[in-house]
Amino acid sequence: MGVQGLTGFVEERGAFFTELRVRDTKLVIDGSSLYHRLCFASAVDFRRGGDYGAFAAAVRDFFGSLRACRVAPFVVLDGGRGADDRKLPTLRGRAAERLRAAHGLSRGDGGCLVPLLTREAFVQALGRLGVPFVQCFAEADREIAGLANRWGCPVLSLDSDFCVFDLAAGYCPLSHFQWQSVCAGEGAQGCYVPARCFSVEKFCRHFSHLNKGLLPLFAVLNGNDYIDLAALEAFFSKVRLPRGCAAGKGGKHLRLQGLLSWLSQFAERAEAVDSVLKYLKKHQREEIRELLCASMEDYTPSDVNLEDFFQNGKYECEAARKAEVPQWVLDALAKGKLAPFISDALILRSTFLHVQVENMQRPSAHSTALPIRQVLYGLLLKVSQNTEAVSPSKQTSELPGVCEFDRLQKTLKKTFVQAASLPTDFCDDHFPLDKLTEMPMSCRQMLLLETLGVKTSFLESIPSHLQLPVAVTCYWIRCSEPKVKLHQLKALLLMIVSGELHRITNDPDPTVLHTEDYSIAYNEFLKWKEKTWQNKDFDLDAAHSFCQWQCCLQMGLYLNQLLCAPLSEPDLSSRLYSGTLVHRLYQELKSTPSVENLFSLSPKMTQLYQVMLNTVES
């Protein structure tokens, strides 16, 4: 993320930072940077699809440290790609990088990969902890900067774009935010988080007192997530940049340093832009000027009033109004009750499906969940069937569709997917997307369960918070290719039971009277977990099957959210899925079938396992 090479350059020279003791303040947090950072810090195994319980514990500990230092966090998350879709080339590049990382991990190489449901687990954890958060309509950077300046507090992120914004109280990189080493402090002031704050003044002083108003031009010329102009190479090939401090560490950042030194000769931005354009062909100049000026606007703090959202729950922005999205959808997006995937499908008719560590010789794990996505697209796009936006479907009377970016073996491929035609209740003019919330709950639940191929009566014996995962598991058993093995199913259900046992033991509901002591069974389970795992071989085919289940769960979650939660949303942070555990259970069930009796000391947990197994098998 951010300005190419700038993080490395700034990190190599500690001189651009000031020491900071973070306490008794508001703090605006870049949610995307934070969940990536905590995910990579908490994960020990990136091959087996994520351990969301450990990740949620890291999120809890992080905000616990802030609370101890009386820091009031406000988390701001990126939304969808936005109607202009300017970052599409960058996002395609990142998807290709992710695919390379996943392939490397599948072969046993090292590397990191954010598990599929990490973002959903993060949003749920924020809700459980009562941390205020907002999901922006599109990219969050400008809104983060606007809110931090309104409140005069720092920004916490790991995005070098914040070195360029003019921030009243500065930018704290997450790499220097020592939340795990809270200091006691002196006297009445109390404890604090040791941190470092990037000083734009020190940075500009280093480059001959560069006008900080020129930093956006530097970012755009150097290349960022939005602009990487081949046309600007003509400028770099002709201009004579100062050599800067070329010796030693500066070698790999020569162009960056030279560009900053060259810009320091200009007093104003317009003068610097004119000088850049002189090096380009005359017929290109006005077009490039417009592009440079538009791109520099990305570093102007937004006028979206996030303070109003955090105080009154109102999120209003011009881009959202122009997109003509139903108000209830906008509200749900801002509150994180709908994922950015939904806004991308609705506004751009284009989505990215994130690859996992799967068998690259097989079709993408996401192909199993295709029928669920088609129903999602049917719900979202029927709103537009009478508008000009769908003129091709008018002419051909075909259903509208969405372009999906997904894996085809080891490459990224774009595929057109047709939306599903919905039952007549949902196609009725009385229930377009903007009226979906008014449809009877029984109808919404019926569409969800019909999509997953499950009858309502099947789920009656399942606890309400597990009904969606069990329905998704029924769908997975029916639709997966190759077919799910019995040991894989049993491993998955035993994993869900272990999550239930952990939840009941560690976070008991005071309103529920428990008739048995769950802690004995839980301690036995922990003893089993602590035993050395003998067979740590990585089974790629089993991994592929569990990836398919996560894809089905993700789209089941999204469909349930779009239908305004006819089923309870399962809590990912309560160890609903643990990749390390499900792989271990699968391997041990093959060699030691008695592992199926792991929870025999708890009649309730044994009964839960049997009920789920019978439901899925029937």
Side-chain angles (χ1 to χ4, degrees):
M1 289 189 289
V3 184
Q4 291 167 18
L6 186 57
T7 294
F9 175 70
V10 166
E11 288 288 341
E12 282 180 6
R13 292 155 185 76
F16 303 138
F17 292 101
T18 55
E19 300 300 318
L20 195 64
R21 296 180 173 189
V22 182
R23 61 183 162 202
D24 301 299
T25 181
K26 287 176 175 165
L27 185 65
V28 179
I29 300 174
D30 174 356
S32 179
S33 284
L34 179 61
Y35 79 71
H36 278 84
R37 180 84 178 173
L38 294 178
C39 171
F40 293 144
S42 65
V44 287
D45 185 351
F46 289 101
R47 298 178 83 190
R48 292 178 169 85
D51 291 317
Y52 299 114
F55 169 68
V59 175
R60 186 185 63 236
D61 293 346
F62 175 84
F63 287 104
S65 292
L66 296 191
R67 192 167 55 250
C69 301
R70 300 160 312 285
V71 173
F74 293 85
V75 176
V76 185
L77 284 154
D78 288 325
R81 283 146 52 190
D84 53 15
D85 207 14
R86 286 168 55 213
K87 273 179 84 166
L88 180 61
T90 299
L91 294 171
R92 289 183 78 154
R94 283 188 196 154
E97 281 170 25
R98 187 182 165 95
L99 184 45
R100 284 191 290 274
H103 180 233
L105 283 161
S106 73
R107 293 183 312 176
D109 301 343
C112 299
L113 190 70
V114 176
L116 185 69
L117 299 171
T118 303
R119 194 184 199 281
E120 284 72 33
F122 181 64
V123 168
Q124 286 186 348
L126 293 177
R128 275 174 69 98
L129 295 166
V131 175
F133 72 95
V134 64
Q135 183 172 271
C136 297
F137 185 66
E139 177 96 0
D141 290 7
R142 294 182 61 221
E143 294 177 40
I144 289 170
L147 183 63
N149 282 351
R150 181 180 281 266
W151 283 343
C153 68
V155 167
L156 182 66
S157 178
L158 201 55
D159 182 342
S160 56
D161 278 329
F162 291 111
C163 295
V164 177
F165 278 98
D166 189 6
L167 297 171
Y171 155 54
C172 296
L174 269 159
S175 49
H176 295 289
F177 192 77
Q178 299 175 54
W179 62 273
Q180 288 167 303
S181 307
V182 169
C183 294
E186 311 87 27
Q189 284 186 301
C191 58
Y192 62 88
V193 177
R196 301 178 89 190
C197 188
F198 174 77
S199 167
V200 75
E201 284 74 22
K202 285 187 177 183
F203 185 74
C204 289
R205 201 157 53 237
H206 180 80
F207 291 100
S208 310
H209 295 274
L210 170 71
N211 173 1
K212 66 181 178 181
L214 289 165
L215 287 177
L217 179 59
F218 151 72
V220 171
L221 291 173
N222 189 63
N224 62 12
D225 286 353
Y226 285 113
I227 192 163
D228 188 11
L229 280 182
L232 288 175
E233 285 306 321
F235 161 72
F236 283 107
S237 65
K238 292 173 186 172
V239 71
R240 292 194 61 185
L241 296 178
R243 295 296 290 168
C245 35
K249 286 183 179 177
K252 65 182 176 185
H253 296 120
L254 274 179
R255 183 157 108 169
L256 185 146
Q257 293 180 82
L259 180 57
L260 285 160
S261 298
W262 180 80
L263 284 168
S264 67
Q265 68 184 294
F266 302 105
E268 296 297 331
R269 193 185 288 185
E271 182 190 358
V273 170
D274 287 340
S275 191
V276 169
L277 297 175
K278 282 177 193 168
Y279 292 93
L280 306 182
K281 291 175 182 172
K282 282 185 178 176
H283 71 273
Q284 291 181 312
R285 289 177 186 172
E286 281 316 302
E287 184 189 349
I288 301 295
R289 182 196 298 278
E290 283 178 23
L291 203 52
L292 290 176
C293 292
S295 299
M296 285 189 285
E297 281 298 306
D298 293 325
Y299 295 99
T300 308
S302 166
D303 55 4
V304 171
N305 187 355
L306 285 188
E307 183 178 44
D308 195 27
F309 175 82
F310 286 119
Q311 288 177 351
N312 307 311
K314 283 185 190 168
Y315 180 86
E316 293 180 358
C317 82
E318 190 61 33
R321 273 195 296 277
K322 286 180 181 170
E324 295 183 350
V325 174
Q327 190 59 48
W328 79 265
V329 173
L330 287 177
D331 292 343
L333 286 166
K335 291 171 183 170
K337 292 179 178 177
L338 289 175
F341 177 92
I342 297 296
S343 59
D344 287 345
L346 178 60
I347 296 161
L348 299 173
R349 306 212 170 173
S350 167
T351 57
F352 277 88
L353 304 174
H354 292 301
V355 70
Q356 301 169 82
V357 182
E358 51 196 80
N359 188 334
M360 300 291 166
Q361 303 308 312
R362 290 209 168 128
S364 162
H366 285 285
S367 57
T368 307
L370 174 62
I372 309 177
R373 292 198 302 280
Q374 287 177 300
V375 172
L376 268 169
Y377 301 154
L379 282 167
L380 290 167
L381 301 186
K382 69 186 173 69
V383 72
S384 301
Q385 281 181 12
N386 299 322
T387 68
E388 292 305 311
V390 206
S391 51
S393 68
K394 271 186 181 175
Q395 293 156 17
T396 61
S397 73
E398 285 182 8
L399 288 161
V402 169
C403 284
E404 295 183 338
F405 289 94
D406 193 11
R407 173 183 74 77
L408 179 66
Q409 295 195 317
K410 289 178 277 188
T411 57
L412 189 70
K413 188 171 187 297
K414 183 166 81 168
T415 309
F416 180 81
V417 170
Q418 206 169 62
S421 55
L422 300 172
T424 48
D425 290 357
F426 284 85
C427 295
D428 187 39
D429 286 343
H430 295 302
F431 292 108
L433 183 61
D434 56 348
K435 298 282 195 297
L436 189 59
T437 52
E438 297 168 23
M439 176 163 259
M441 205 270 273
S442 57
C443 294
R444 289 182 273 120
Q445 187 181 86
M446 191 171 69
L447 178 65
L448 175 66
L449 294 180
E450 278 184 8
T451 303
L452 298 175
V454 177
K455 290 190 173 76
T456 315
S457 57
F458 278 23
L459 298 177
E460 283 169 356
S461 53
I462 306 290
S464 61
H465 62 286
L466 293 178
Q467 286 179 350
L468 184 58
V470 170
V472 161
T473 306
C474 294
Y475 174 92
W476 172 63
I477 291 286
R478 202 178 72 255
C479 297
S480 284
E481 283 296 333
K483 289 295 173 197
V484 176
K485 294 176 179 171
L486 184 59
H487 288 323
Q488 290 168 357
L489 169 62
K490 287 181 174 180
L492 190 91
L493 296 178
L494 286 168
M495 175 199 70
I496 291 173
V497 171
S498 77
E500 270 300 277
L501 194 54
H502 176 273
R503 183 184 65 79
I504 291 167
T505 312
N506 288 277
D507 190 16
D509 184 343
T511 63
V512 176
L513 179 67
H514 292 302
T515 54
E516 65 170 86
D517 185 359
Y518 290 98
S519 58
I520 298 169
Y522 188 61
N523 288 334
E524 282 302 307
F525 167 66
L526 291 179
K527 277 185 206 166
W528 172 82
K529 257 180 89 175
E530 282 161 15
K531 284 182 198 166
T532 308
W533 182 12
Q534 300 301 332
N535 182 9
K536 283 203 170 180
D537 292 343
F538 182 64
D539 186 326
L540 187 57
D541 287 335
H544 193 87
S545 187
F546 295 132
C547 285
Q548 289 172 318
W549 185 81
Q550 284 210 68
C551 291
C552 296
L553 181 63
Q554 182 186 47
M555 291 304 148
L557 272 171
Y558 290 173
L559 181 57
N560 190 51
Q561 288 172 347
L562 186 61
L563 291 168
C564 310
L567 293 183
S568 299
E569 182 158 307
D571 185 6
L572 292 163
S573 62
S574 66
R575 287 168 164 73
L576 178 69
Y577 184 86
S578 165
T580 310
L581 177 60
V582 77
H583 275 259
R584 177 174 178 177
L585 285 164
Y586 170 63
Q587 294 287 6
E588 297 213 5
L589 279 165
K590 287 196 294 185
S591 57
T592 318
S594 61
V595 169
E596 194 174 357
N597 303 319
L598 195 55
F599 303 105
S600 58
L601 290 175
S602 166
K604 283 275 169 64
M605 291 296 116
T606 304
Q607 183 189 11
L608 175 64
Y609 171 71
Q610 282 302 334
V611 165
M612 290 196 297
L613 185 61
N614 294 342
T615 301
V616 174
E617 286 188 322
S618 66

